[in-house]
Amino acid sequence: MTADKTTPSHDQVIAATRLWLQRAVIGLNLCPFAKGVHGKGLVRYVVSDAQDEEELLGDLERELQVLLAAPPEEVDTTLLIHPMALIAFTDFVRFLDLVEVVLRTQRLQGVLQVASFHPDYVFADSEVDDITNFTNRSPFPTLHLLREASLDRAVAAFPEAAAIYERNMQTLRELGHAGWRELGVGAPSDIKE
């Protein structure tokens, strides 16, 4: 794949995603569990070349199996980044229903789960420009594959896990749009999404 204004290289995609993880997710403590797995090098970054839902579904199915087969002490979680598929947030949201079907058909519910991040993420009943949407805004559309057992351990170690959502909303409100822009965690400026 050659890099140009519309097609980011895998290295660019991973670098932007890693920067977002470090500055926003960990830096703002949006996920108190992320720091440990990142610090131990247990996050697998996978860039999908998929350009449509069917190709992305194939990549998702493969990556679920890779994560399932990998020892947790080597790979605890996977970020499946797909910069050329599901660019429109409405398409991305519809695709999440298919993700649930894949988890069910592969009998992975209760074993693995998938969280979602997107550059244009909007929570239901939220305005597009509401700063609280940025808790789930990533440089590129991303599916976060997680082990349920790891999540259960993390929640047990963090007794106030239920309060994370509300705390994140407050953090983003205090940061504001200008503060978010200062983090510099969007897609590289030479890449057109």
Side-chain angles (χ1 to χ4, degrees):
M1 170 188 300
T2 59
D4 59 29
K5 284 201 94 52
T6 58
T7 308
S9 72
H10 285 203
D11 287 345
Q12 288 174 307
V13 170
I14 290 171
T17 302
R18 187 174 281 125
L19 186 67
W20 162 75
L21 180 67
Q22 292 169 332
R23 288 187 181 173
V25 178
I26 295 170
L28 297 175
N29 199 29
L30 298 178
C31 176
F33 320 129
K35 185 176 183 178
V37 293
H38 171 71
K40 294 175 186 171
L42 302 178
V43 179
R44 176 176 159 85
Y45 296 87
V46 177
V47 180
S48 169
D49 290 323
Q51 297 194 23
D52 59 37
E53 285 184 10
E54 186 177 329
E55 292 174 349
L56 184 57
L57 270 177
D59 288 345
L60 173 63
E61 290 172 345
R62 276 187 298 280
E63 285 306 318
L64 287 167
Q65 292 305 312
V66 168
L67 182 59
L68 192 60
E73 61 276 5
E74 292 177 18
V75 179
D76 191 66
T77 191
T78 299
L79 293 175
L80 177 58
I81 313 153
H82 43 100
M84 298 178 293
L86 306 176
I87 302 304
F89 182 64
T90 53
D91 295 338
F92 181 77
V93 170
R94 277 194 301 272
F95 183 79
L96 296 176
D97 290 335
L98 294 175
V99 170
E100 289 306 312
V101 170
V102 168
L103 289 171
R104 258 194 326 275
T105 58
Q106 291 192 6
R107 293 182 169 88
L108 295 175
Q109 288 181 315
V111 178
L112 299 177
Q113 69 172 255
V114 179
S116 56
F117 299 91
H118 192 280
D120 299 319
Y121 201 98
V122 178
F123 288 107
D125 302 324
S126 177
E127 296 296 320
V128 170
D129 62 350
D130 187 328
I131 189 63
T132 60
N133 293 318
F134 287 68
T135 62
N136 283 55
R137 289 203 178 166
S138 56
F140 302 100
T142 302
L143 298 171
H144 181 193
L145 288 55
L146 303 113
R147 298 173 190 273
E148 289 276 354
S150 296
L151 194 55
D152 291 345
R153 280 192 306 276
V155 168
F158 191 82
E160 297 175 19
I164 292 171
Y165 176 79
E166 288 300 323
R167 190 194 68 227
N168 287 349
M169 298 300 152
Q170 185 60 36
T171 297
L172 268 291
R173 286 184 193 106
E174 290 171 5
L175 183 68
H177 287 90
W180 182 266
R181 281 191 299 277
E182 287 176 18
L183 292 175
V185 295
S189 60
D190 62 337
I191 295 173
K192 182 177 155 192
E193 294 183 66

